[in-house]
């Protein structure tokens, strides 16, 4: 079995791989940032203790944890899109609607998982911290923002990095609705050139570089925070 | 029976055992004491090769324990070791804890192993706890089971590494009682301990260690009333005030 | 929504059976169970290798685990889809490919769980076992593994839940599991995709949520049985 790596690493095919990588990264960062922001909000809301909020957010989290991500993407892409009138639907299709729905689905998914990690992080910070903050005269929001959440974030960073890694790999699911990300481009190049091994190998290497970078960053973060925390 | 010949040991740049030369005779009960970090635990852990040494020789009954053809598992099965933190196997009953080595190392039949194990548990006063599991036992009971377990292989020597230091005060007595009975039966014992009462009652010799060296070796009487080395004097004075 | 449920539940549960091969949720569960059962012995080996003292054991296990965990499951599936027919010299049904991919995936993840379980056993117990004269193998078989595997039961269950969710990727290679049938039904009904896919989601939800509850129960049970390891022996 000869290996024709170089054929694929130039010209048109190289463009395809680059485009795929770019799309993967776009989807990843968009979902990551939105998801994280939403997770922080959800955690803070849940911590207020208001029963309705807790219930709704708990349901939100349980839905996203117990349904496969792929199915969640389908619910958005096939299901929710159908709820819009035809005109809007056509506009969305023309405007890369697949990306939008994949972004929404993955963003919500990662938000659910991250809010759980933040919630356990929060729980591990002694209640006395909150009491001390309130005793100083800070209101709930300020106490959350300046005292509780920063500490919760520190404790929760390893699982949060873990979730980011999961999200990075989950972007590959978007190919099922036609998003031209990296796995999609692997399939594309394969069907075009029949150089399956080379195409898959190139894409795998790219994924591994991404995954290992995230994991490496997480490891660095962990040791930095551990050192800082022991002062 | 146990001979230390010019033994040296380092942890990286730090020397934890210096110029150890000592002989322990059969049937002796030797207590090793000293301040924290003196190397006393390290010393006895070298006897069953839980800790390696960098230089010197350790002989047991004339044989160098670090020789190439020494089967370390055989060696260890002939030396009993009792740990400060008991280290019982929580997923096995007390009886099975004692039986395990008999079955696996001596390859005894189950019935015989069970009988011997029950006898050992009786010897430490715990035959009614044979079916209990370690989390269900008190610290003192666990340590006594650990002693029975160490006796399972009928070793000629038993080493004790601070056997009562992790126990609540009211349980120390029951463990010391078992150890004294062993001494009376003629067992060769090397004990790292702070229990000076035990040393006075039962030990034939006390070795005082500080910073990796054996600084004084004498009878318990002499050690507690008239320690010679200045650091030994400080140690004995500190203990009295505790 | 209810008539949809009534009409199509049998499809979603067992696919085309009895007038065809088993599919739907039944197939999903079959895939997950098979994947877990086959991967389990492999993952114990990987876990032991990863926590071994020998570099020759640790290194290959390290590489395998990090490669499998660094790739999306979908890529693993595509790799198996490509490589397995090559290995066997003939075409292989999608189900086999999917199971193979799930086994690789699980071997790596569960292997890490095993490793953590092994490394969580207090060193003092290993010292005690070695001091009795037990060989390294005996120590692993009699002392470390029995405890580690029991302690791991909740994590194994959690991994099982993940496997169930990952079977949904079978859709992409036309394996007739639950998600695939969701699509089939959607193509038949056409006008109510939201309800169809929410139905599929509901099926997964019921299964996974119940199992998650079970995980919590086993966690409490394990903790009760093992007691608090720290409390039972002073300092380690």
């Amino acid at each position: 079995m000869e290996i024709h790596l170089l054929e694929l690493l130039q010209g048109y095919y190289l463009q395809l791989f680059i485009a795929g990588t770019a799309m993967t990264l776009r989807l990843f960062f968009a979902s990551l940032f939105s998801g994280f922001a939403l997770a922080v909000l959800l955690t803070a809301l849940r911590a207020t203790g208001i029963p309705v909020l807790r219930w709704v957010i708990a349901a939100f989290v349980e839905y996203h944890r117990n349904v496969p991500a792929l199915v969640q993407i389908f619910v958005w892409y096939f299901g929710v899109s159908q709820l819009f009138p035809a005109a809007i639907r056509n506009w969305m299709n023309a405007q890369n609607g697949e990306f939008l729905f994949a972004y929404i689905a993955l963003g919500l998914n990662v938000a659910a998982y991250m809010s759980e990690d933040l919630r356990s992080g929060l729980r591990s910070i002694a209640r006395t911290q909150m009491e001390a903050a309130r005793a100083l005269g800070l209101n709930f929001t300020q106490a959350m923002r300046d005292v509780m959440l920063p500490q919760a974030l520190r404790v929760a960073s390893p699982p949060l990095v873990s979730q980011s890694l999961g999200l990075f790999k989950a972007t590959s699911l978007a190919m099922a609705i036609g998003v031209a990300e990296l796995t999609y481009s692997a399939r594309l190049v394969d069907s075009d050139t029949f150089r399956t091994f080379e195409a898959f190998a190139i894409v795998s290497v790219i994924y591994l570089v991404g995954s290992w970078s995230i994991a490496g960053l997480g490891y660095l973060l962990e040791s930095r925070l551990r050192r800082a925390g022991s002062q | 029976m146990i001979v230390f010949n010019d033994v040296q040991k380092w942890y990286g740049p730090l020397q934890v055992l210096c110029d150890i030369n000592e002989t322990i005779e059969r049937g002796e009960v030797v207590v090793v004491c000293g301040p924290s970090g003196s190397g006393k635990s390290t010393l006895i852990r070298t006897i069953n090769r839980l800790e390696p040494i960098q230089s010197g020789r350790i002989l047991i009954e004339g044989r160098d324990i670090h020789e190439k053809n020494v089967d370390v598992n055989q060696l260890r099965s002939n030396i009993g070791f009792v740990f400060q933190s008991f280290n019982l196997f929580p997923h096995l009953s007390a009886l099975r804890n004692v039986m395990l080595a008999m079955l696996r190392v001596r390859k005894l039949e189950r019935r015989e192993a069970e009988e011997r194990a029950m006898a050992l548990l009786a010897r430490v006063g715990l035959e009614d706890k044979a079916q209990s599991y370690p989390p269900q036992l008190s610290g003192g009971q666990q340590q006594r089971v650990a002693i029975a377990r160490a006796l399972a292989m009928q070793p000629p020597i038993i080493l004790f590494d601070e056997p009562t230091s992790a126990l609540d005060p009211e349980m120390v007595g029951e463990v010391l009682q078992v150890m004294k009975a062993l001494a009376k039966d003629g067992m060769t014992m090397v004990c790292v301990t702070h229990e000076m009462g035990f040393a006075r009652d039962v030990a034939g010799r006390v070795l005082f260690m500080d910073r990796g060296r054996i600084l004084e070796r004498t009878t318990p009487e002499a050690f507690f009333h008239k320690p010679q080395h200045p650091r030994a004097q400080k140690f004995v004075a500190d203990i009295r005030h505790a | 929504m209810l008539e949809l449920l009534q009409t199509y539940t049998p499809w979603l549960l067992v696919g085309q059976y009895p007038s065809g091969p088993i599919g739907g949720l039944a197939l999903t569960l079959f895939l997950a169970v098979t994947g877990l059962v086959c991967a389990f012995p492999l993952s114990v080996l990987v876990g032991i290798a990863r926590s071994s003292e020998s570099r020759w054991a640790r290194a290959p296990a390290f590489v395998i685990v990090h490669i499998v965990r660094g790739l999306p499951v979908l890529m693993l599936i595509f790799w198996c889809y490509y490589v397995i027919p090559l290995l066997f010299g003939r075409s292989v049904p999608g189900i086999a490919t999917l199971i193979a991919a799930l086994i690789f995936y699980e071997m790596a993840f569960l292997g890490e769980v095993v490793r953590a379980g092994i490394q969580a056993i207090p060193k003092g117990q290993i010292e005690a076992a070695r001091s009795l004269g037990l060989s390294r193998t005996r120590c692993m078989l009699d002392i470390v593994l029995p405890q580690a595997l029991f302690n791991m039961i909740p994590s194994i269950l959690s991994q099982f839940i993940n496997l169930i969710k990952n079977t949904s990727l079978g859709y992409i290679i036309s394996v007739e599991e639950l998600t695939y049938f969701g699509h089939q039904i959607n193509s038949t009904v056409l006008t109510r995709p939201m309800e169809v896919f929410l139905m599929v989601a509901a099926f997964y939800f019921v299964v996974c949520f119940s199992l998650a509850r079970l995980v919590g129960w086993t966690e409490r049970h394990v903790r009760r049985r093992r007691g608090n390891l720290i409390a039972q022996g002073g300092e380690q």
Side-chain angles (χ1 to χ4, degrees):
Chain A
M1 186 180 72
E2 315 137 48
I3 303 212
H4 303 263
L5 218 45
L6 287 180
E7 264 182 46
L8 299 184
L9 283 175
Q10 50 184 298
Y12 172 61
Y13 297 118
L14 184 62
Q15 303 281 41
L16 281 179
F17 288 130
I18 294 182
T21 311
M23 183 63 84
T24 292
L25 291 176
R26 272 180 65 198
L27 187 54
F28 171 64
F29 283 114
S31 312
L32 183 63
F33 290 144
S34 309
F36 178 71
L38 181 59
V40 172
L41 180 63
L42 289 177
T43 309
L45 286 177
R46 205 169 180 178
T48 60
I50 301 174
V52 176
L53 280 179
R54 270 189 15 215
W55 234 96
V56 168
I57 297 176
F60 173 85
V61 167
E62 288 305 317
Y63 168 78
H64 285 97
R65 279 174 23 148
N66 290 298
V67 175
L70 186 60
V71 174
Q72 292 171 19
I73 292 177
F74 289 155
V75 167
W76 279 97
Y77 181 69
F78 291 115
V80 175
S81 66
Q82 207 68 359
L83 298 177
F84 294 120
I88 302 200
R89 241 183 295 141
N90 290 332
W91 174 81
M92 282 195 298
N93 277 335
Q95 298 288 324
N96 228 340
E98 310 93 47
F99 181 90
L100 178 68
F101 287 117
Y103 156 70
I104 295 177
L106 289 177
L108 292 178
N109 187 44
V110 82
Y113 279 99
M114 283 191 173
S115 80
E116 274 302 287
D117 293 328
L118 284 174
R119 192 170 79 115
S120 2
L122 204 57
R123 250 198 303 220
S124 70
I125 316 286
R127 176 160 294 164
T128 50
Q129 289 283 303
M130 185 55 147
E131 290 171 353
R134 299 306 295 272
L136 283 174
L138 298 173
N139 67 27
F140 180 80
T141 318
Q142 291 166 330
M144 264 292 143
R145 192 189 55 202
D146 295 320
V147 177
M148 302 298 278
L149 282 175
Q151 293 188 67
L153 259 158
R154 166 175 301 172
V155 171
S157 359
L160 288 180
V161 170
S162 214
Q163 298 301 345
S164 313
L165 187 53
L167 174 63
F168 178 68
K169 297 188 288 176
T171 55
S172 60
L173 299 177
M175 77 159 291
I177 57 174
V179 174
E181 47 72 65
L182 196 48
T183 312
Y184 183 94
S185 61
R187 269 312 208 61
L188 200 56
V189 173
D190 167 41
S191 54
D192 219 40
T193 64
F194 292 103
R195 304 260 183 252
T196 317
F197 177 81
E198 293 85 336
F200 284 1
I202 293 174
V203 164
S204 300
V205 167
I206 299 178
Y207 272 120
L208 288 177
V209 167
S211 298
W212 291 344
S213 309
I214 297 178
L217 250 137
Y219 183 73
L220 276 175
L221 195 64
E222 225 182 311
S223 34
R224 175 93 58 79
L225 287 177
R226 216 185 309 140
R227 239 179 294 136
S230 54
Q231 285 165 344
Chain B
M1 179 150 203
I2 306 177
V3 178
F4 287 89
N5 218 317
D6 250 345
V7 170
Q8 326 277 349
K9 178 180 169 59
W10 284 268
Y11 274 144
L14 180 66
Q15 185 159 16
V16 293
L17 290 177
C18 310
D19 305 328
I20 304 290
N21 283 290
E22 198 61 47
T23 303
I24 295 170
E25 305 289 355
R26 182 178 283 274
E28 265 203 282
V29 176
V30 175
V31 163
V32 183
C33 64
S36 291
S38 52
K40 44 194 203 296
S41 285
T42 313
L43 183 68
I44 62 167
R45 285 161 67 99
T46 58
I47 299 178
N48 72 346
R49 287 178 59 174
L50 277 182
E51 299 280 355
I53 59 175
Q54 277 74 45
S55 153
R57 293 194 310 159
I58 301 177
L59 307 173
I60 296 188
E61 302 209 293
R63 276 195 78 197
D64 183 340
I65 65 175
H66 289 99
E67 246 169 45
K68 277 275 186 318
N69 54 1
V70 165
D71 178 355
V72 83
N73 293 325
Q74 272 303 310
L75 171 76
R76 285 175 176 156
S77 62
N78 285 319
I79 304 174
F81 200 104
V82 177
F83 294 85
Q84 178 177 345
S85 43
F86 337 135
N87 291 333
L88 289 182
F89 307 130
H91 62 304
L92 300 175
S93 66
L95 186 66
R96 296 223 56 189
N97 259 278
V98 178
M99 277 169 65
L100 183 67
M102 291 191 224
L103 293 173
R104 298 281 183 251
V105 182
R106 293 267 190 263
K107 310 254 198 282
L108 293 181
E109 287 290 313
R110 169 156 297 222
R111 167 108 28 107
E112 196 187 341
E114 216 172 293
E115 280 172 13
R116 287 216 219 167
M118 280 304 286
L120 284 170
L121 283 175
R123 193 168 165 190
V124 301
L126 286 172
E127 65 271 29
D128 54 332
K129 296 285 188 197
Q131 299 304 331
S132 302
Y133 284 78
Q136 298 166 320
L137 301 173
S138 75
Q141 291 169 330
Q142 289 188 54
Q143 193 61 300
R144 286 189 276 155
V145 173
I147 296 177
R149 182 178 66 177
L151 289 170
M153 312 295 280
Q154 298 173 315
I157 314 164
I158 302 198
L159 309 173
F160 291 85
D161 187 358
E162 303 211 37
T164 55
S165 300
L167 294 175
D168 289 336
E170 65 265 21
M171 295 191 252
V172 170
E174 65 195 65
V175 174
L176 288 181
Q177 212 173 7
V178 171
M179 289 167 68
K180 288 186 199 176
L182 280 177
K184 285 220 178 65
D185 287 342
M187 177 70 76
T188 312
M189 293 163 64
V190 184
C191 311
V192 174
T193 183
H194 297 306
E195 292 296 326
M196 296 304 124
F198 172 80
R200 263 193 297 249
D201 291 342
V202 171
R205 244 195 318 154
V206 169
L207 299 179
F208 173 74
M209 284 186 72
D210 191 7
R211 286 185 234 163
R213 288 177 192 280
I214 300 180
L215 294 180
E216 199 158 323
R217 35 173 86 66
T218 177
T219 64
E221 267 302 307
F223 182 74
F224 289 113
H225 286 297
K226 273 234 246 328
Q228 302 290 324
H229 197 284
R231 276 186 248 152
Q233 291 166 352
K234 178 171 190 311
F235 180 74
V236 172
D238 285 343
I239 290 214
R240 282 203 194 286
H241 290 141
Chain C
M1 174 79 166
L2 256 88
E3 344 116 22
L4 264 185
L5 262 176
Q6 260 178 320
T7 329
Y8 291 107
T9 296
W11 279 54
L12 288 174
L13 281 179
V14 286
Q16 293 180 47
Y17 190 81
S19 44
I22 282 247
L25 183 58
L27 183 61
T28 292
L29 292 173
F30 171 77
L31 291 167
V33 169
T34 310
L36 188 64
V37 165
C38 296
F40 185 73
L42 292 172
S43 62
V44 172
L45 289 176
V46 169
I48 293 179
R50 284 275 274 149
S51 46
S52 156
E53 296 163 0
S54 144
R55 187 173 306 169
W56 294 111
R58 274 205 315 266
F62 178 89
V63 170
I64 294 177
V65 165
H66 279 85
I67 289 185
V68 173
R69 281 169 54 128
L71 291 177
V73 185
L74 202 43
M75 277 308 293
L76 288 176
I77 293 178
F78 287 149
W79 271 113
C80 288
Y81 198 71
Y82 163 65
V83 169
I84 292 189
L86 281 185
L87 280 181
F88 284 95
R90 57 194 187 84
S91 72
V92 172
I95 291 190
T97 307
L98 185 58
I99 292 183
L102 292 177
I103 290 178
F104 273 113
Y105 168 83
E106 207 44 53
M107 178 180 79
F109 278 87
L110 208 52
E112 285 299 278
V113 172
V114 171
R115 175 176 76 107
I118 289 177
Q119 291 177 332
I121 304 297
K123 295 263 180 296
Q125 285 192 41
I126 301 179
E127 282 191 338
R130 300 307 309 280
S131 296
L132 287 171
L134 289 170
S135 66
R136 262 192 273 264
T137 319
R138 269 289 147 208
C139 188
M140 179 62 77
L141 287 176
D142 288 325
I143 307 298
V144 178
L145 277 184
Q147 293 185 71
L149 293 180
F150 178 79
N151 293 341
M152 268 167 53
I153 290 178
S155 305
I156 296 178
L157 257 178
S158 289
Q159 283 300 318
F160 182 62
I161 298 177
N162 276 340
L163 262 186
I164 291 180
K165 291 192 285 182
N166 277 314
T167 59
S168 62
L169 298 180
Y171 158 74
I172 299 185
I173 55 173
S174 303
V175 171
E176 298 185 0
E177 42 70 58
L178 183 53
T179 309
Y180 178 89
F181 266 100
H183 272 270
Q184 294 293 86
I185 294 172
N186 186 42
S187 320
T188 316
V189 174
L190 276 182
T191 51
R192 297 151 74 177
M194 185 73 164
E195 293 168 46
V196 171
F197 283 108
L198 278 182
M199 230 179 16
V200 172
F203 273 70
Y204 278 111
F205 185 87
V206 166
V207 174
C208 294
F209 187 76
S210 324
L211 285 174
R213 280 299 205 228
L214 189 61
V215 170
W217 182 86
T218 56
E219 265 173 357
R220 286 190 295 274
H221 187 73
V222 165
R223 224 177 310 147
R224 229 184 308 135
R225 270 286 293 263
R226 280 288 170 252
N228 190 344
L229 280 179
I230 315 292
Q232 72 127 12
E235 314 92 82
Q236 292 292 348

